[in-house]
């Protein structure tokens, strides 16, 4: 004979009302997939921001007044933005107590549609003498500094198409593309990098909005023992033309907005979960009612309440399991599929690793199965009040 | 095996009206007895059998099994009494519809000893089904059996845990005479060889007369027709 135990008995029971079970499985999988999808999105964004700001390797960034969000868009989301301040701010920042080393970038935006230029992209002119943001990556990629009229591209740049590297026309000047950086996990992965020696020639060609003696951003490392936040406040106080973002604050606007999305999402999922619990409750109430006579017979044959409860909960667990598994698969697929249609995700570095996905999947699984068990709980309790003879004869207890 | 019912009454309340389905029944049942109960429909036979079987709590009075009041046991102990000491053959169809004959017969084993004992009990289940005359229907589902065949499966099921006492509620009600006789021979053999006690409700006065003690239910009260 085939195996016969409470589990096989429960699986036989599951197959009895296929349509009804199907509806429950489907609704559990819906709620779980929404959960998995939403969690993937939120965790993806927040961990992406964290990773990116950590990898920039600076404690503070100094930007022109009012350009904070532009800077974040460039550094986190790979957007092209132009914002400039006077070069003399470099020396003024250097003098502030607690500032250890600094370097600076000038961001130039290539203009789309102009003859012979490349599509819109950020060109980062950086100072190779002082740089600590790009140099470690450059060192790894080509093992030397960039010469004049040389450039290197970020890992995600449209120029890094794996077909060999060509020269590129940028602002009317021909640049030799020397290679591609490894993935840095920041918004700069989409940029094109070149030495700031080239800025003068670019200025002469007049193909950018850049004016002489302008830079975009200053990166600061603070000395050991100094609180970046306090140093930042001093810089802002001393230099009214500049705003400061501390590393921990990078992406705060985005995470702030994310918090709101998170809240809306949580409320939605919570309500949908309650709805699913009610559905599970209704379905299991009906199921228990229908099987009351059988339950009575089982009790009369010597089943303990725990046997009958186990039988139902195994069934409930399997239904929850099926729904959860479908939901996790579907939600994960959805998040992978739609990842590129969210601007914020498209531009954020990283993405979820296997562990993240496993944790999210586990959460979906626990919630999906939990919903099912919660819904079935009170219907199954009914069997405790039954007198076998009464239910066998068909009187409802 | 010794069962003592003292002053057992089971009342139903319909609105304010009280109806005694079983009234002040006192009864002593000894090991190896074969008792038959006759009586009109509605006289309380099923109710009495259920009270003895531990599946219907009396309103008053006690049922002692080996000196212990079974209705003062906790729920799990009462379940064990039903499972291990008694075998109930219901008057009503009582097979689980989604289990095969064999699985239905093995169900009480699952409740008694759990999964491990199933394999060992398979042979016995097949034997019992064979003795009950449905040895060729091991893998049939109740819906694929006639009413009489379903009844035989239920009879086989009552013996799977080697009960001390079999409580049979009109066990041959929907069987033809030949099969009825066959089942009775089987009961008798179990009574004589295995020492199983039988309490059997029947409408067949011929069968009743053929038992050691014949009781009659009338309006919830019991009286002795034949025997002690
Ligand atoms: N739940 C109930 N409520 C009210 N009366 C009941 C209930 N169950 C049984 N009865 C009554 O108890 C009496 C005995 O029933 P039962 O023991 O099934 O009779 P029998 O088996 O002798 O035909 C019947 O008259 C029946 O109407
Ligand atoms: Mg009856």
């Amino acid at each position: 004979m085939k195996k016969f135990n409470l589990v096989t008995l429960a699986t036989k029971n599951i197959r009895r009302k296929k349509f009804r079970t199907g509806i429950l499985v489907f609704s559990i999988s819906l709620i779980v997939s929404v959960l998995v999808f939403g969690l993937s999105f939120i965790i993806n964004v927040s961990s992406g921001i964290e990773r990116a700001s950590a990898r920039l390797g600076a404690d503070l960034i100094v930007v022109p007044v009012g350009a904070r969000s532009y800077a974040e868009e460039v550094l986190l989301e790979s957007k092209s933005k132009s914002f400039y301040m006077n070069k003399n701010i470099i020396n003024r920042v250097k003098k502030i107590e607690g500032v250890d080393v600094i370097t600076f970038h000038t961001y130039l935006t290539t203009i789309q549609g102009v003859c012979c230029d490349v599509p819109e992209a950020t060109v980062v002119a950086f100072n190779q003498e002082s740089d600590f943001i790009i140099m470690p990556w450059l060192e790894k990629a080509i093992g030397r500094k960039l010469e004049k009229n040389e450039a290197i591209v970020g890992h995600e740049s449209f120029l890094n198409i794996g077909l060999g590297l060509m020269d590129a026309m940028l602002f009317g000047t021909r640049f030799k593309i020397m290679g591609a950086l490894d993935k840095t996990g920041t918004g700069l992965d989409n940029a094109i990098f070149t030495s700031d020696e080239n800025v003068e020639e670019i200025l002469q060609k007049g193909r950018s909005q850049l004016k002489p003696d302008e830079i975009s951003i200053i990166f600061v490392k603070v000395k050991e023992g100094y609180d970046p936040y306090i140093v930042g406040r001093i810089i802002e106080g001393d230099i009214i033309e500049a705003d400061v973002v501390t590393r921990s604050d990078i992406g705060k606007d985005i995470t702030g907005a994310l918090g709101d999305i998170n809240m809306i999402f949580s409320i939605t999922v919570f309500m949908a979960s309650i709805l699913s619990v009610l559905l599970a409750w209704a379905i299991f109430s009906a199921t228990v009612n229908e099987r009351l006579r059988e339950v009575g017979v089982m009790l009369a044959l010597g089943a303990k309440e725990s046997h009958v409860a186990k039988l139902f909960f195994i069934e409930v667990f399997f239904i929850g399991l099926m729904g959860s598994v479908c939901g996790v698969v579907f939600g994960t697929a959805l998040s992978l599929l739609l990842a590129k249609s969210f601007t914020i995700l498209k531009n954020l570095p990283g993405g979820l690793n296997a562990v993240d996905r496993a944790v999210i999947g586990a959460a979906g699984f626990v919630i999906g199965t939990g919903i099912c068990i919660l819904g079935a709980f009170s219907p199954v309790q009914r069997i405790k009040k039954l007198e076998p003879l009464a239910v066998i004869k068909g009187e409802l207890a | 095996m010794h069962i003592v019912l003292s002053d057992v009454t089971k009342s139903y309340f319909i609105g304010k009206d009280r109806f005694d389905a079983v009234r002040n029944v006192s009864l002593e049942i000894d090991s190896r007895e074969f008792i038959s109960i006759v009586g009109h429909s509605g006289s309380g036979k099923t109710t009495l059998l259920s009270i003895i079987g531990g599946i219907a709590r009396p309103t008053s009075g006690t049922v002692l099994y080996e000196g212990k009041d079974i209705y003062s046991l906790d729920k799990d102990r009462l379940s064990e009494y039903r499972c291990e000491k008694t075998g109930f053959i219901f008057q009503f169809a009582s097979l689980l519809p989604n289990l095969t004959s064999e699985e239905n017969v093995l169900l009480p084993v699952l409740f008694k000893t759990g999964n491990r004992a199933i394999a060992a009990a398979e042979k016995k289940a097949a034997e019992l089904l064979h003795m009950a005359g449905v040895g060729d229907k091991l893998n049939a589902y109740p819906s694929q059996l006639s009413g009489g065949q379903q009844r035989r499966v239920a009879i086989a099921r009552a013996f799977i845990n080697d009960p001390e006492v079999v409580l049979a509620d009109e066990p041959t009600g929907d069987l033809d005479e030949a099969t009825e006789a066959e089942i009775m021979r089987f009961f008798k053999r179990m009574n004589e060889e295995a020492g199983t006690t039988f309490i059997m409700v029947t409408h067949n006065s011929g069968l009743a007369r053929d038992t050691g003690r014949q009781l009659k239910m009338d309006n919830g009260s019991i009286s002795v027709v034949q025997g002690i």
Side-chain angles (χ1 to χ4, degrees), chain A residues 1-6 8-9 12-13 16 293-308 384-385 387-390 392-393 395, chain B residues 10 12 46-47 50 55-57 75-77 79-80 82-83 90 92-94 96-100 102-103 106-108 110-111 115 118 122 141 157:
Chain A
M1 193 180 81
K2 279 181 280 168
K3 271 197 158 175
F4 177 60
N5 53 44
L6 284 181
T8 60
L9 200 54
K12 278 190 161 204
N13 280 339
R16 286 164 84 175
R293 258 199 96 233
E294 283 170 41
V295 170
V297 168
M298 287 196 279
L299 291 173
L301 292 176
K304 294 178 180 163
E305 275 168 13
S306 58
H307 286 121
V308 182
K384 298 212 162 150
K385 296 184 204 107
E387 186 176 74
L389 176 65
I392 293 170
K393 288 203 304 187
E395 305 156 19
Chain B
K10 171 99 182 165
Y12 290 107
T46 296
T47 310
S50 302
I55 62 174
R57 189 173 289 275
K75 284 181 168 183
D76 280 358
R77 297 294 91 68
S79 293
E80 282 163 12
R82 293 170 189 151
C83 191
F90 301 92
F92 330 90
S94 65
L96 297 202
N98 59 329
L99 298 187
T100 63
E102 192 184 21
E103 289 168 338
L106 286 169
L107 201 55
L110 198 60
F111 299 142
N115 306 343
I118 290 291
E122 267 176 51
Y141 287 91
R157 181 177 61 186

Side-chain angles (χ1 to χ4, degrees), chain A residues 393 395, chain B residues 12 14 19 21 40-48 91:
Chain A
K393 288 203 304 187
E395 305 156 19
Chain B
Y12 290 107
I14 301 156
F19 177 79
H40 293 297
S41 158
S43 58
K45 306 179 296 293
T46 296
T47 310
L48 180 64
Q91 182 182 2

Side-chain angles (χ1 to χ4, degrees), chain A residues 295-371:
Chain A
V295 170
V297 168
M298 287 196 279
L299 291 173
L301 292 176
K304 294 178 180 163
E305 275 168 13
S306 58
H307 286 121
V308 182
K310 244 187 239 165
L311 193 60
F312 274 109
F313 279 121
I314 293 169
E315 182 174 347
V316 168
F317 178 77
F318 277 143
I319 291 175
L321 190 71
M322 284 192 279
S324 304
V325 168
C326 293
V328 168
V329 169
F330 190 65
T332 305
L334 203 65
S335 86
L336 290 172
L337 216 68
L338 293 185
K340 296 295 169 206
S341 51
F342 286 96
T343 344
I344 188 164
L345 285 184
K346 187 160 43 191
N347 297 325
L348 263 179
L352 297 174
N353 58 31
V355 177
D356 292 335
R357 293 223 179 261
V359 169
I360 293 169
F365 168 75
V366 166
I367 295 203
T369 315
I371 284 172

